Amino acid sequence: MRARLRHAWESRAPWERAIIIALAVMMGAVLYLWLVQSAGRARAQLLTSVTTLRAQSARLDRQALEYQRLRAAPAATASPTDLRTLVQARIGAAGLSRALVRINAADANQVTVVFGALPFADWLAWVASLQAQQVRLDTCRIEALSSKPGLVSVTATFTRARP
């Protein structure tokens, strides 16, 4: 087989051999340039992926540290008073008494609160303070008031978090 190829090569005219060699060199150069370009594109894509993965890794590390901190923190104890008393005290402490329309206690662990008009930011801060006391927002209806931007009326039911 090798002898046949050699015979076929030598049977060509010198100018044909030169053209075949030139075409083979050009094809090799084109193939090499294509491979270099493909590798460059793949490298750019990998660099983008590495950047994204590093950001995700950093976020995961922060979340793991927060998880460890929360696991190490002692569990907050619920107030021994009934829920209505606790919610009423938190309303007074937050300065939301003027907006309170009514407060109804279904039982010692469930309270419904109705506010007429209060700033939404104050509502969020008040709910956060209740959550710190192991009181969970169960249901909530918030309506924006057209009289003044930022004011809302709220009807919400809170329950004491179960251990």
Side-chain angles (χ1 to χ4, degrees), residues 6-144:
R6 187 170 191 79
H7 176 67
W9 177 253
E10 290 176 354
S11 67
R12 303 248 177 229
W15 63 273
E16 287 179 337
R17 284 186 273 183
I19 290 176
I20 291 172
I21 290 173
L23 287 174
V25 168
M26 284 193 328
M27 290 290 289
V30 166
L31 180 61
Y32 176 77
L33 291 175
W34 178 76
L35 287 173
V36 167
Q37 182 184 22
S38 294
R41 270 189 274 131
R43 182 177 183 270
Q45 289 175 345
L46 287 174
L47 285 176
T48 303
S49 296
V50 166
T51 303
T52 303
L53 289 172
R54 282 185 179 152
Q56 290 174 349
S57 173
R59 186 175 65 231
L60 186 60
D61 288 342
R62 286 190 308 272
Q63 289 174 347
L65 288 173
E66 178 69 11
Y67 179 72
Q68 288 174 349
R69 185 187 67 78
L70 291 173
R71 295 243 359 195
T77 57
S79 171
T81 63
D82 75 309
L83 188 56
R84 179 188 167 100
T85 307
L86 177 65
V87 170
Q88 188 74 40
R90 283 288 171 198
I91 290 171
L96 301 177
S97 299
R98 60 182 164 28
L100 181 65
V101 174
R102 86 175 166 270
I103 182 168
N104 297 326
D107 59 35
N109 292 317
Q110 185 176 2
V111 173
T112 301
V113 180
V114 179
F115 288 103
L118 76 154
F120 185 67
D122 292 350
W123 160 254
L124 290 177
W126 182 68
V127 170
S129 74
L130 284 176
Q131 288 176 341
Q133 296 292 317
Q134 303 298 311
V135 176
R136 180 174 57 98
L137 178 62
D138 196 26
T139 62
C140 181
R141 183 177 55 96
I142 300 174
E143 295 178 7

